[in-house]
């Protein structure tokens, strides 16, 4: 086999590996989105049960300002955004991810676990999205995706930054 054929074969193998990594990241992202949706639904159900929304519970600053008016109670009362005035020790049935095991745990612990998992899943999703962008950009630079997406358009999409509002 001559040198140019070996080079071509090596380049083709590299492209296949990059494409496989792109597809794996996409599959992980789909699975991660499914888990995120389940967590979000569970958190919504807990908020409905506690009859709260993220904005319905007063902030500690509002509690402090009410306390300044001459009340003898403490100035700052820590209030959970999800629990609100709901009994935080009320037992709640929860199924832990990856198992078929139900456990009866306090309401506050249940939503705290779900919120922590949700934050981790959000971080993983952003990481997987950036990996997919990078792999798609590499494949586009090599000319593999030229018939589907122009390299200039893909480069402009990859360089976009997601910023919090």
């Amino acid at each position: 086999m001559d040198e140019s054929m070996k080079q071509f074969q090596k380049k083709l193998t590299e492209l296949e590996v990059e494409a496989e990594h792109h597809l794996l990241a996409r599959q992980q992202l789909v699975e991660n989105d499914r888990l995120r949706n389940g967590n979000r639904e569970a958190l919504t159900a807990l908020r409905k049960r506690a009859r709260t929304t993220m904005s319905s519970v007063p902030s500690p600053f509002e509690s402090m300002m009410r306390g300044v008016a001459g009340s003898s109670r403490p100035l700052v009362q820590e209030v959970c955004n999800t629990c609100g005035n709901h009994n935080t020790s009320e037992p709640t049935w929860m199924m832990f991810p990856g198992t078929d095991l139900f456990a009866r745990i306090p309401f506050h612990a249940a939503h705290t676990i779900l919120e922590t998992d949700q934050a981790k899943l959000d971080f993983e999703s952003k990481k997987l999205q950036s990996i997919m962008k990078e792999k798609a950009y590499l494949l586009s630079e090599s000319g593999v995706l030229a018939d589907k997406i122009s390299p200039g358009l893909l480069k402009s999409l990859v360089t976009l930054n997601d910023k919090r509002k």
Side-chain angles (χ1 to χ4, degrees):
M1 200 185 292
D2 65 338
E3 190 62 33
S4 64
M5 188 56 81
K6 285 182 182 179
Q7 227 177 3
F8 176 73
Q9 188 177 16
K10 183 179 176 187
K11 183 68 174 170
L12 191 59
T13 304
E14 289 173 4
L15 287 175
E16 286 179 359
V17 168
E18 291 297 326
E20 188 67 29
H21 287 177
H22 182 276
L23 291 175
L24 285 172
R26 187 150 121 212
Q27 184 61 34
Q28 287 175 343
L29 186 62
V30 167
E31 179 66 23
N32 198 354
D33 284 344
R34 189 182 63 75
L35 291 172
R36 282 176 55 210
N37 286 339
N39 262 12
R40 191 190 43 164
E41 290 171 1
L43 282 169
T44 301
L46 288 176
R47 285 189 188 108
K48 283 184 180 180
R49 186 170 166 194
R51 293 190 177 100
T52 61
T53 61
M54 289 299 283
S55 60
S56 69
V57 178
S59 70
F61 179 73
E62 291 173 16
S63 299
M64 183 174 67
M65 293 310 289
R66 270 192 244 125
V68 171
S71 175
S72 61
R73 61 176 208 222
L75 291 180
V76 178
Q77 180 181 3
E78 209 169 307
V79 179
C80 176
N81 285 337
T82 303
C83 293
N85 294 330
H86 191 72
N87 182 6
T88 59
S89 61
E90 175 187 330
T92 304
W93 287 100
M94 181 175 170
M95 182 176 172
F96 289 98
T99 65
D100 291 336
L101 175 72
F102 280 94
R104 196 170 181 188
I105 60 175
F107 183 85
H108 184 72
H111 80 77
T112 303
I113 290 169
L114 287 171
E115 287 171 351
T116 305
D117 286 348
Q118 189 72 8
K120 288 178 186 175
L121 289 170
D122 288 341
F123 177 75
E124 287 179 27
S125 287
K126 294 216 184 278
K127 190 170 90 173
L128 288 170
Q129 287 171 355
S130 66
I131 289 171
M132 283 182 52
K133 282 181 182 180
E134 177 188 336
K135 298 299 180 188
Y137 181 68
L138 289 173
L139 290 171
S140 174
E141 284 293 310
S142 65
V144 176
L145 298 176
D147 60 337
K148 302 280 184 197
I149 303 170
S150 70
L153 176 65
L154 189 64
K155 184 174 182 173
S156 67
L157 291 174
V158 170
T159 57
L160 289 176
N161 290 330
D162 296 330
K163 294 183 181 177
R164 288 188 158 210
K165 295 178 181 177

